Amino acid sequence: MPKLVYDFIEGNKDMKDLLGGKGANLAEMTNLGLPVPPGFIISTDACRHYLTQGAVPESLAAEVTEHLTGLEQARGKTLGDHDDPLLVSVRSGAKFSMPGMMETVLNIGLSDASVQGLAKQASNERFAWDSYRRLIQMFGRTVLGIEGHEFEQALDAAKQAKGTNNDLDLDGADMKSLVDTYKQIVKAQTGRDFPQDPREQMDMAVNAVFDSWNADRAILYRRQERIPSDLGTAVNIVAMVFGNLGPDSGTGVAFTRDPGSGQQGVYGDYLQNAQGEDVVAGIRNTVPLQDLEQIDPKSYAELMQIMQTLEKHYKDLCDIEFTIERGKLWMLQTRVGKRTAGAAFRIAIQLVDQDLIDMDEALRRVSGAQLAQLMFPRFGDSENATLIAKAISASPGAAVGKAVFDSATAVEWADRGEDVILVRRETNPDDLHGMIAARGILTSRGGKTSHAAVVARGMGKTCVCGADSLEVDVNARQFTSQGSGSGQVVVREGDVISIDGTSGAVYLGEVPVVASPVVEYFEGSLEPGTDELVTAVHRIMTHADSRRRLGVRANSDTGEDSARAVRFGAQGIGLTRTEHMFLGERRQLVEDLILAEDNEARQAALAQLEPLQRGDFVEILEAMDGLPVTIRLLDPPLHEFLPDLTELSVKVALAGDQATAKDRKLLEEVRRLHEQNPMLGLRGVRLGLVIPGLYAMQVRAIAHAAADRIKAGGNPHAEIMIPLVGAVQELEAARDEAERVLRDVAAETGVSGHTLIGTMIEVPRAALTAGQIAQAAEFFSFGTNDLTQMGWGFSRDDVEGAFFGRYIEMGIFGVSPFETLDAEGIGRLVKLAVKEGRETRPDLKIGGCGEHGGDPESVRFFHEAGLDYVSCSPFRVPVARLEAGRAVALEGSGGSDSR
């Protein structure tokens, strides 16, 4: 068995895997010569053995004894000695900070005999009995599993009998009586006496800390923070120092900078005559750390010096716990402190300017998730707001507006200057105009990958989904909520509501919204230098752009979105979805195409659609002049452009003989086109090959739009993407038709140029035969939404609400594979396709344009997999730029701007 126990002097801050974060940092402070109580660390290896084998390693007891003897010699005391006892704390400490999730027991070593010796040595009977009652309470709750309220009720009763609300008013006799009461609780609840053997106390506490690794709250926290479940925790056994010896003692927490804002200064709390858990538990009110300068000037000055030493040593914001024992300062813990998103950017740049870190390290210190958090508007004070629902936070931000229940009303009210929230049971592509018009979207169904969520994130629109406590009645133009302690609430159309896409909260009435200066900066309306946060973001983004290898494009279907994408730093369009151009008023033309009874009628319908498509493409190519624009030919099944089968059937049935010939014909076509699983049916390239002239019309519109731009002095770079290809033969057939149309338009307009033709890799078979498909494709673009759906065998619209929550609870998923790319499974398909595609065509351009293109972790994967660019919604472009730069900084290699 390897070495399992380490003295502080044997470790350092780089041994977190073995010693946990707390132990590694205690060792580091010891080696820096700071005042750390002596102690030792039981490694994570011992914990993993305990968790897998059900018992500690056989060699552990002897190693603990050896190090405990060394600790006793260092302190000149023996654990549990009756005259002058050594007391120790037993604390958890995993590699990654999990505050409050695992267990701690203080004052191990006290017993009925040793408490007398402690009182004598401290000349303070109250302190000794207070320490003993704390041990019984913590040990009883943590080790013996007794409900905490049993002890709390006894303490409250003691204070009530004394006529006080303050623990400090209880004297030594009161504390001694409380110890007797606590011991009776232990006996009654467990059937055994409180253990008097100090080594038994310590060994039981160590096992309890190991067990706490798999406590429900620890498991939940790890899932939330994506901490691996197999790391285990170390255990720190440290000589006790006491902050509850009187007014010249105390305990506190300090930060070397403000974790909320990043500002330098003195930040923290201090509590006189207390032990550490009193600060955390809020039993008594703390005072600001600055007050320590008046209470104990010597300790304050020493603490300020140590804080400066630690920040320079760790080169980061440090979170510090300390105790003062009768005027002597002791350091109990330090770690790199958690901070808000704004503080992260500010602190990173401050440390660069102080020559503590370089810009690459600053880039590593921030994240795309933090940048996204800074970009969304947010609510100010919501304390007095009426909470009426809590649901899924689908797209961050804060939105306030009048509730409306259909897209037409949303557009109409928005056009007259009203702010609206579109409320639906669920949204569909027809709701796009209403979603664009609305300030935010609220649905009672769906999850983070529902239509509403995906589209809202793409537009940077606030969205709350899956509010199943809301009964949405579209016909009555209202929704009903049981509220949150506010009784039943009925919200009618026109009533103002506020939705928080960051927390998933829905409020009645208006909650004040605070704008994001970071978005104003990306939009170009706020210059760097006018705001400290904006300046920090600007400097880090500039460095990220200089380091990244991955290009970043945007998914955009309109000229307006394309122009915003350029302002946000996009280097082109990676996906233009042409189906969005067929909605709204143009839907009738698509119906005419579907209802066409012969080729002549079909061509007439296509002829009406072509100039509209051409105008759309001109607008986008103009906005992206000089940059590549990848245009995906029609992808969704035709049923999405037709009325709902059930609604149309009811309409025709109710009309009876009065039903129009068109409605009857339309119903016939809807029935003919109806599919059990339309996402795997007649769509994508299949549609283009089955409906003569459909793709030719789109290619012709693209070619004419490019020619129009060239004649106008522009520099268009259109790229044609064929969707849902599963076999190279499909791509070859579609490509032959496209090339013929391109030649015809070149001859007609006198404008020639090479237009790239490629495909989306979104069918698993396409990824597995990428070498063949590359023979006919000049570029690949991974459609990771469908690739994930087909690779996992999921119906994206159904599975999240059905069982994803349960899968995450069970640990099957750490996160939804539609949010972050499944690197092990779907990622393997991506890497295979990249490898085999480039073996066939070395100059093959490869991008990714699914939802994952703006996900920070997925962007880093795409960098590693060798893609040339990612494409995401305009609003997520800065996040992708940042993460593409971080990918280079994190791997420690060089990189250059791909523009």
Side-chain angles (χ1 to χ4, degrees):
M1 194 74 191
K3 179 179 172 68
L4 297 172
V5 185
Y6 295 77
D7 277 321
F8 288 169
I9 58 173
E10 298 179 279
N12 60 62
K13 64 181 176 64
D14 298 321
M15 296 175 67
K16 291 180 181 178
D17 285 332
L18 187 64
L19 305 182
K22 187 175 295 179
N25 288 326
L26 283 168
E28 189 74 11
M29 288 196 294
T30 298
N31 293 324
L32 286 172
L34 301 182
V36 177
F40 57 90
I41 307 154
I42 300 174
S43 74
T44 55
D45 286 340
C47 178
R48 286 190 288 268
H49 185 282
Y50 175 85
L51 294 174
T52 57
Q53 304 300 318
V56 297
E58 289 183 9
S59 60
L60 181 62
E63 284 196 56
V64 169
T65 297
E66 177 187 345
H67 287 80
L68 178 59
T69 300
L71 175 56
E72 290 173 332
Q73 291 172 351
R75 294 293 281 174
K77 299 180 180 184
T78 303
L79 184 69
D81 181 78
H82 292 180
D83 296 322
D84 188 10
L86 169 69
L87 304 184
V88 298
S89 63
V90 176
R91 298 174 180 265
S92 61
K95 176 182 179 180
F96 299 106
S97 176
M98 296 171 56
M101 296 301 110
M102 292 182 293
E103 303 298 359
T104 290
V105 183
L106 305 181
N107 305 329
I108 291 283
L110 275 175
S111 64
D112 293 350
S114 62
V115 68
Q116 305 286 353
L118 181 64
K120 184 177 179 181
Q121 289 296 323
S123 300
N124 188 331
E125 186 172 318
R126 183 197 184 280
F127 153 71
W129 288 102
D130 180 36
S131 297
Y132 194 14
R133 72 93 186 166
R134 290 171 184 267
L135 167 63
I136 299 172
Q137 182 171 355
M138 297 182 78
F139 193 95
R141 181 181 55 79
T142 298
V143 182
L144 301 178
I146 300 171
E147 291 292 337
H149 67 81
E150 297 283 347
F151 300 106
E152 292 161 9
Q153 287 172 0
L155 177 60
D156 288 342
K159 288 190 288 186
Q160 187 175 5
K162 194 79 172 183
T164 182
N165 291 318
N166 192 334
D167 296 2
L168 296 180
D169 291 332
L170 299 180
D171 59 23
D174 298 321
M175 288 298 179
K176 183 177 180 180
S177 176
L178 200 53
V179 164
D180 289 337
T181 304
Y182 279 11
K183 286 162 65 179
Q184 292 169 15
I185 292 172
V186 170
K187 179 75 170 179
Q189 294 290 322
T190 68
R192 64 160 292 176
D193 291 325
F194 180 77
Q196 296 295 301
D197 180 354
R199 181 59 187 267
E200 182 187 8
Q201 293 175 8
M202 188 172 76
D203 290 343
M204 291 178 70
V206 168
N207 288 356
V209 171
F210 286 160
D211 285 329
S212 70
W213 175 257
N214 282 330
D216 289 344
R217 64 187 182 188
I219 292 171
L220 181 62
Y221 185 87
R222 288 198 299 272
R223 287 175 185 161
Q224 178 72 22
E225 299 297 318
R226 302 190 196 180
I227 297 172
S229 61
D230 59 353
L231 297 179
T233 180
V235 179
N236 304 278
I237 298 177
V238 188
M240 283 295 302
V241 290
F242 299 98
N244 58 331
L245 274 168
D248 60 349
S249 304
T251 186
V253 176
F255 298 93
T256 57
R257 296 170 194 248
D258 183 351
S261 68
Q263 297 301 316
Q264 292 179 269
V266 181
Y267 299 94
D269 298 301
Y270 182 68
L271 189 57
Q272 282 180 277
N273 198 12
Q275 285 195 317
E277 75 269 18
D278 295 338
V279 176
V280 178
I283 294 170
R284 306 204 322 263
N285 291 330
T286 60
V287 298
L289 185 60
Q290 293 94 320
D291 288 8
L292 180 60
E293 186 173 16
Q294 304 301 319
I295 297 168
D296 186 346
K298 176 177 173 294
S299 295
Y300 178 81
E302 185 181 3
L303 177 63
M304 293 299 106
Q305 184 59 50
I306 289 173
M307 289 170 64
Q308 187 176 10
T309 297
L310 286 172
E311 182 167 277
K312 286 185 177 179
H313 183 72
Y314 281 88
K315 301 180 179 180
D316 208 344
L317 159 69
C318 289
D319 173 354
I320 297 162
E321 294 179 17
F322 65 93
T323 281
I324 298 172
E325 181 183 271
R326 289 182 169 167
K328 166 66 176 172
L329 176 66
W330 294 97
M331 306 304 295
L332 303 185
Q333 178 172 321
T334 191
R335 59 190 171 199
V336 171
K338 296 183 182 295
R339 67 212 66 186
T340 65
F345 279 84
R346 290 189 186 99
I347 290 171
I349 290 301
Q350 288 167 6
L351 295 174
V352 168
D353 292 342
Q354 291 173 241
D355 294 324
L356 290 174
I357 62 174
D358 60 19
M359 283 301 297
D360 265 8
E361 180 60 26
L363 190 52
R364 289 189 283 267
R365 296 275 179 93
V366 298
S367 70
Q370 290 171 326
L371 179 61
Q373 192 177 342
L374 293 176
M375 291 177 64
F376 286 100
R378 57 196 184 277
F379 283 128
D381 183 13
S382 61
E383 261 187 39
N384 298 319
T386 301
L387 179 68
I388 56 175
K390 195 76 185 290
I392 296 171
S393 50
S395 182
V400 179
K402 294 181 178 179
V404 297
F405 292 86
D406 64 69
S407 289
T409 305
V411 171
E412 178 187 345
W413 288 23
D415 283 347
R416 67 187 193 212
E418 303 266 20
D419 290 338
V420 299
I421 305 292
L422 178 62
V423 182
R424 305 283 287 163
R425 291 193 185 96
E426 57 199 357
T427 64
N428 60 56
D430 256 0
D431 286 315
L432 185 64
H433 296 297
M435 295 173 76
I436 292 171
R439 290 289 183 183
I441 300 103
L442 170 63
T443 70
S444 60
R445 299 176 185 167
K448 285 191 175 182
T449 58
S450 65
H451 175 269
V454 170
V455 174
R457 283 195 296 272
M459 296 189 295
K461 192 82 67 174
T462 300
C463 179
V464 172
C465 286
D468 54 13
S469 65
L470 303 182
E471 183 63 40
V472 177
D473 188 337
V474 174
N475 293 327
R477 324 295 288 179
Q478 67 179 37
F479 71 77
T480 306
S481 167
Q482 292 306 315
S484 180
S486 55
Q488 188 180 75
V489 176
V490 178
V491 174
R492 296 178 174 83
E493 190 158 76
D495 291 346
V496 173
I497 59 173
S498 301
I499 63 172
D500 189 338
T502 303
S503 69
V506 182
Y507 299 100
L508 183 65
E510 181 173 354
V511 178
V513 172
V514 180
S516 166
V518 174
V519 170
E520 293 177 344
Y521 154 67
F522 285 125
E523 289 278 15
S525 60
L526 189 63
E527 291 294 323
T530 57
D531 178 278
E532 183 188 9
L533 175 59
V534 166
T535 301
V537 170
H538 169 73
R539 290 176 60 182
I540 289 176
M541 292 299 299
T542 300
H543 186 69
D545 286 336
S546 73
R547 296 289 280 144
R548 63 186 169 93
R549 179 191 60 77
L550 269 179
V552 177
R553 300 189 189 180
N555 302 337
S556 171
D557 311 329
T558 67
E560 182 181 351
D561 273 355
S562 300
R564 166 178 263 197
V566 171
R567 293 196 299 273
F568 278 25
Q571 297 160 275
I573 299 297
L575 174 63
T576 290
R577 306 174 183 89
T578 54
E579 59 267 19
H580 286 173
M581 301 171 181
F582 291 144
L583 298 175
E585 296 176 358
R586 303 181 187 182
R587 189 184 187 114
Q588 179 61 53
L589 298 178
V590 181
E591 286 186 8
D592 292 344
L593 173 64
I594 295 169
L595 295 174
E597 296 182 349
D598 53 37
N599 187 59
E600 183 178 348
R602 184 181 303 110
Q603 292 305 317
L606 289 170
Q608 285 185 286
L609 283 169
E610 184 179 329
L612 300 175
Q613 285 263 275
R614 179 174 173 176
D616 294 330
F617 298 145
V618 167
E619 184 182 351
I620 293 172
L621 291 172
E622 182 176 5
M624 305 303 292
D625 197 53
L627 298 173
V629 176
T630 303
I631 301 170
R632 182 179 72 185
L633 302 186
L634 196 65
D635 178 46
L638 288 180
H639 81 88
E640 290 197 8
F641 303 100
L642 296 175
D644 177 77
L645 174 60
T646 302
E647 291 180 2
L648 187 58
S649 298
V650 170
K651 179 182 178 183
V652 171
L654 290 175
D657 295 340
Q658 303 302 311
T660 65
K662 180 180 178 182
D663 280 349
R664 292 181 185 278
K665 174 64 176 174
L666 195 56
L667 179 58
E668 180 183 329
E669 288 302 306
V670 169
R671 284 174 174 159
R672 183 179 68 81
L673 293 170
H674 178 72
E675 297 172 305
Q676 293 298 323
N677 193 338
M679 297 309 291
L680 298 179
L682 182 60
R683 55 171 289 220
V685 66
R686 307 159 193 169
L687 200 62
L689 297 178
V690 168
I691 298 183
L694 176 61
Y695 274 10
M697 177 275 291
Q698 290 194 291
V699 173
R700 192 176 302 109
I702 293 168
H704 274 294
D708 290 347
R709 288 295 304 137
I710 291 172
K711 289 178 179 179
N715 182 25
H717 291 277
E719 301 174 348
I720 296 171
M721 183 158 66
I722 314 295
L724 212 74
V725 165
V728 66
Q729 293 86 350
E730 291 175 309
L731 180 58
E732 287 171 342
R735 183 186 179 104
D736 287 346
E737 180 182 43
E739 288 180 330
R740 175 183 56 76
V741 172
L742 290 171
R743 288 193 298 269
D744 290 348
V745 173
E748 177 187 339
T749 61
V751 177
S752 60
H754 183 65
T755 301
L756 295 181
I757 299 175
T759 186
M760 289 189 84
I761 303 294
E762 51 191 332
V763 177
R765 190 182 189 280
L768 294 170
T769 59
Q772 297 175 25
I773 291 175
Q775 296 171 7
E778 293 172 282
F779 67 86
F780 285 170
S781 184
F782 288 99
T784 52
N785 296 345
D786 274 338
L787 192 58
T788 296
Q789 182 168 237
M790 296 186 203
W792 274 93
F794 288 151
S795 170
R796 186 173 54 190
D797 295 331
D798 300 321
V799 293
E800 186 169 49
F803 62 83
F804 268 28
R806 178 65 177 147
Y807 266 35
I808 289 172
E809 285 177 12
M810 296 173 66
I812 296 172
F813 293 154
V815 64
S816 165
F818 290 111
E819 289 185 49
T820 295
L821 189 77
D822 161 31
E824 292 180 349
I826 306 305
R828 193 172 178 188
L829 290 174
V830 170
K831 288 183 175 180
L832 176 70
V834 170
K835 176 179 177 292
E836 296 191 357
R838 287 201 171 126
E839 285 175 353
T840 297
R841 188 186 289 265
D843 62 347
L844 184 71
K845 261 202 322 185
I846 304 178
C849 63
E851 270 287 291
H852 300 106
D855 170 67
E857 195 171 323
S858 303
V859 170
R860 296 194 297 274
F861 169 82
F862 290 135
H863 167 86
E864 176 193 340
L867 270 64
D868 295 306
Y869 67 88
V870 293
S871 188
C872 55
S873 69
F875 203 77
R876 284 180 139 187
V877 164
V879 172
R881 287 166 51 202
L882 179 70
E883 286 296 343
R886 289 186 75 237
V888 177
L890 287 167
E891 69 182 8
S893 67
S896 59
D897 195 334
S898 58
R899 281 178 291 187

